[in-house]
Amino acid sequence: MKKEKRKPGLTPGAGAKGSKRGNDRGNEGGCEPGVVGTATRGTRGTSAAASESRSWKTSCLLGLLALALLFLWLKTIPHLPDAAPNAAVGQKLLSQFSSPLDVYEFTIKRVAESGQEEAIHLVRRGDVWTLADYYNYEANHPNRLPQALATLLGLTVLDVVEELSENADAVAVDAFHRQCGLLMPELPLASGDEGHTGTLVRVLNEEGDAIAALLIGCEPAESSPTRRLRYVRVPNQDTVYIVDFSAVANADAHGEQAIDVDALFSTRKMDWLDRDFLHLSRWNILHLVETRSEPDAAGTGVKLTQRVVYEQDATSAMDRVWTQVKASVLDANGKPEEQGALAAEETDNGHVNGLVEKLCRLRLVAVARKPSDVIPVFEQNRPFAELSPLAESLAAEGFCLLDHDPFDAASFLPLLTGVGGHCSLILKDHVCLNLLTGKTDSGGTRLLVYASFDPGYPAGPELVPKAGPGEYPDAGALEKENARRMEENRIRTSEFELQKSQGQKAVESWNRRLAPWLYYVEEEATGPDVTH
């Protein structure tokens, strides 16, 4: 019995279509029994009867001849074997892969049309997935990896394109795989093979053993924007299958829109990261402190020029109303000069809202790891004086270490700022998020971010004073009232300490995540001006 062979682009059941065409041809070659016209009503002539008899016999002979020719033609045309449909159709493709919890490594490899190799290597460390070939940065895209694993787990065979025997001609097999875009992505490639290699996906367990591997090729002719079909094969096997990626349950996060297979198994590192890495929301901002800067006279550093403190009006959050509560500039001698506060209607809300929108739309384009001796300073909120030996390396990225904060007369500690100035956002949990803007070039704008605890957080809670003897008619009432006030103060103190403790823990959490990295960001377009 012959093995089933079909070229890429043929739909399942092509042989059945051929049989139908044969039947159609047979019908075209036959004749229907003739219909003889009638004579005058009530009369049938002898010659008419004879003619009708001859016509009927001729029709029968022609019909029998057509059936005989049709039978001979069907015996000679190629047709599918009489065996049952291929048992693989409808079955799970990667039978050894049963649970995403078994996965500890996930790799993707492809060769671009330029001939350069592209790869992604994700490694699971505890409950965190990291990019092993990108500083071990966390692969924290919210759904990329779960989608990719769920898709592999749910793939079933839609059709077997060509099932090749072990003795098949190796040259013919390679030519067929080339046509399907299923050559292995291994360098060096033979001339002309660029663009004909597949995307190799491997899933490994904790011991480093492969529990699933798949080579994804090009799209068959039947594929469409809403039905994403692909040729696939298992590495080290020659059989080519068709699978429907858009049929996998829960693989598409965009409703009825079919998934983009190449994007799902992307080898671009940024596709596996959460580009909105700060998740800032203007609703969560209590105060914004903007510190502006400009190049110094020597052109080798920066000098600060102005600091403005804005407060968001929580009662007018829908209107995005800010109030300038404080502003300072530096005079000719570098001393701070107070400009005072402004009423809400006098504050430049357009400027403030534009700045907030810009900060909330920062998008990651790359990361770089800070030097190892810099990281603990930010992670543990230690004094910036410890950065002095590394000031030159920081300056190369556009971050300058000043002797002190010129806007704070009581401060004698060094201050770190950027050539583009810096902003401090005080959030509702009293975390102060400091964003320093460094150099900008084709790689993006450098951003250094660290957290500190709200410097304006009060030293203690607001307590209720004890009642005096003259406030109540007798000692018993006074004692009872003071006991009530003591309990009220205990509750206020407890709530104050709890809130402070939670804020300090939040600062530690932010710095554990932010301290190792220097971020390169781009500003996402905000569309039409919505600030006025």
Side-chain angles (χ1 to χ4, degrees):
M1 184 176 295
K2 297 180 180 179
K3 292 286 184 180
E4 178 186 353
K5 292 191 177 184
R6 295 195 296 105
K7 295 299 183 184
L10 294 180
T11 57
K17 289 184 180 179
S19 299
K20 184 179 185 302
R21 286 196 296 269
N23 289 327
D24 291 341
R25 293 183 183 180
N27 290 334
E28 290 172 3
C31 297
E32 295 180 355
V35 179
V36 181
T38 59
T40 305
R41 179 178 292 184
T43 306
R44 183 186 296 269
T46 304
S47 60
S51 176
E52 181 179 356
S53 176
R54 285 194 301 273
S55 176
W56 181 82
K57 290 179 180 179
T58 301
S59 298
C60 289
L61 289 173
L62 290 175
L64 291 172
L65 179 61
L67 289 173
L69 290 174
L70 177 62
F71 176 77
L72 291 174
W73 181 73
L74 290 175
K75 290 288 287 182
T76 57
I77 63 169
H79 60 282
L80 295 174
D82 297 330
N86 195 294
V89 174
Q91 299 299 309
K92 184 177 176 179
L93 181 62
L94 303 173
S95 58
Q96 299 300 315
F97 184 25
S98 58
S99 171
L101 298 178
D102 298 333
V103 182
Y104 280 79
E105 288 189 58
F106 184 76
T107 63
I108 305 172
K109 180 180 177 183
R110 66 160 54 103
V111 176
E113 292 189 13
S114 62
Q116 294 183 334
E117 183 177 287
E118 301 174 346
I120 283 291
H121 184 195
L122 276 64
V123 176
R124 179 175 160 191
R125 306 177 190 279
D127 294 330
V128 177
W129 281 92
T130 62
L131 284 163
D133 48 0
Y134 198 55
Y135 311 109
N136 285 319
Y137 191 86
E138 185 178 352
N140 54 3
H141 188 283
N143 52 26
R144 176 80 61 187
L145 183 59
Q147 273 192 1
L149 293 177
T151 299
L152 292 176
L153 193 63
L155 285 178
T156 57
V157 176
L158 180 66
D159 192 19
V160 180
V161 179
E162 187 157 352
E163 191 169 355
L164 303 163
S165 67
E166 294 180 357
N167 299 322
D169 185 347
V171 175
V173 172
D174 285 345
F176 181 67
H177 289 169
R178 189 179 191 276
Q179 188 177 0
C180 296
L182 287 172
L183 296 178
M184 288 291 288
E186 295 176 344
L187 296 178
L189 295 173
S191 177
D193 281 349
E194 298 86 354
H196 297 283
T197 59
T199 299
L200 179 61
V201 182
R202 292 187 187 275
V203 176
L204 286 70
N205 60 17
E206 191 172 9
E207 289 74 31
D209 300 325
I211 54 178
L214 186 66
L215 200 58
I216 304 172
C218 57
E219 297 188 35
E222 301 93 338
S223 188
S224 70
T226 57
R227 195 182 187 210
R228 295 297 174 89
L229 307 183
R230 285 298 182 96
Y231 294 117
V232 299
R233 70 181 178 96
V234 177
N236 301 322
Q237 297 182 18
D238 294 332
T239 301
V240 176
Y241 306 97
I242 292 179
V243 296
D244 184 358
F245 280 89
S246 57
V248 179
N250 301 321
D252 182 17
H254 304 289
E256 297 179 358
Q257 181 182 354
I259 61 173
D260 185 338
V261 180
D262 292 328
L264 186 61
F265 298 101
S266 171
T267 50
R268 290 183 67 254
K269 293 176 176 57
M270 285 299 109
D271 289 342
W272 297 89
L273 309 185
D274 187 356
R275 296 187 63 202
D276 184 10
F277 63 109
L278 293 178
H279 290 280
L280 290 176
S281 169
R282 67 180 181 86
W283 311 107
N284 195 32
I285 301 173
L286 293 177
H287 293 83
L288 185 151
V289 183
E290 180 187 10
T291 303
R292 301 174 188 175
S293 65
E294 63 182 27
D296 61 12
T300 57
V302 299
K303 65 175 183 178
L304 303 185
T305 59
Q306 186 181 32
R307 177 171 294 167
V308 188
V309 181
Y310 302 98
E311 181 180 27
Q312 183 168 212
D313 185 353
T315 63
S316 302
M318 291 301 294
D319 297 325
R320 303 199 288 184
V321 175
W322 296 81
T323 301
Q324 178 181 306
V325 296
K326 184 179 180 181
S328 303
V329 295
L330 296 181
D331 61 19
N333 298 318
K335 300 298 183 182
E337 182 179 301
E338 293 293 331
Q339 290 183 315
L342 295 177
E345 58 270 16
E346 298 175 312
T347 302
D348 187 354
N349 271 272
H351 166 74
V352 184
N353 283 316
L355 178 58
V356 171
E357 286 293 319
K358 174 181 172 181
L359 295 176
C360 291
R361 291 177 180 270
L362 293 170
R363 292 297 180 268
L364 192 65
V365 294
V367 298
R369 194 170 180 87
K370 293 182 186 141
S372 57
D373 44 0
V374 168
I375 295 173
V377 176
F378 293 96
E379 193 171 45
Q380 301 169 21
N381 251 328
R382 282 155 41 181
F384 285 145
E386 297 184 30
L387 296 176
S388 296
L390 300 161
E392 187 174 343
S393 64
L394 291 171
E397 301 293 345
F399 303 104
C400 303
L401 192 64
L402 306 181
D403 292 337
H404 66 285
D405 183 354
F407 290 105
D408 186 356
S411 173
F412 298 96
L413 296 175
L415 174 71
L416 188 66
T417 187
V419 294
H422 64 268
C423 287
S424 298
L425 306 177
I426 299 176
L427 308 181
K428 288 182 178 179
D429 59 358
H430 297 282
V431 171
C432 181
L433 204 58
N434 304 280
L435 297 92
L436 283 59
T437 305
K439 289 174 56 177
T440 298
D441 55 26
S442 59
T445 300
R446 278 74 160 167
L447 195 70
L448 191 154
V449 189
Y450 68 95
S452 56
F453 192 65
D454 180 1
Y457 194 74
E462 184 179 352
L463 301 179
V464 182
K466 292 179 66 175
E471 297 181 40
Y472 289 88
D474 56 63
L478 176 64
E479 183 178 355
K480 185 177 180 180
E481 172 61 18
N482 279 331
R484 186 194 67 78
R485 295 189 182 190
M486 287 179 62
E487 178 62 18
E488 174 68 19
N489 287 338
R490 186 193 67 78
I491 294 174
R492 291 188 181 190
T493 301
S494 177
E495 290 176 346
F496 176 88
E497 294 297 337
L498 177 62
Q499 188 176 38
K500 182 177 180 179
S501 174
Q502 289 175 338
Q504 291 172 334
K505 288 179 180 178
V507 167
E508 294 173 2
S509 177
W510 275 98
N511 283 332
R512 276 196 301 271
R513 181 166 69 88
L514 299 172
W517 309 108
L518 182 65
Y519 299 96
Y520 293 69
V521 298
E522 66 179 5
E523 298 165 15
E524 189 176 273
T526 59
D529 187 1
V530 295
T531 60
H532 292 84

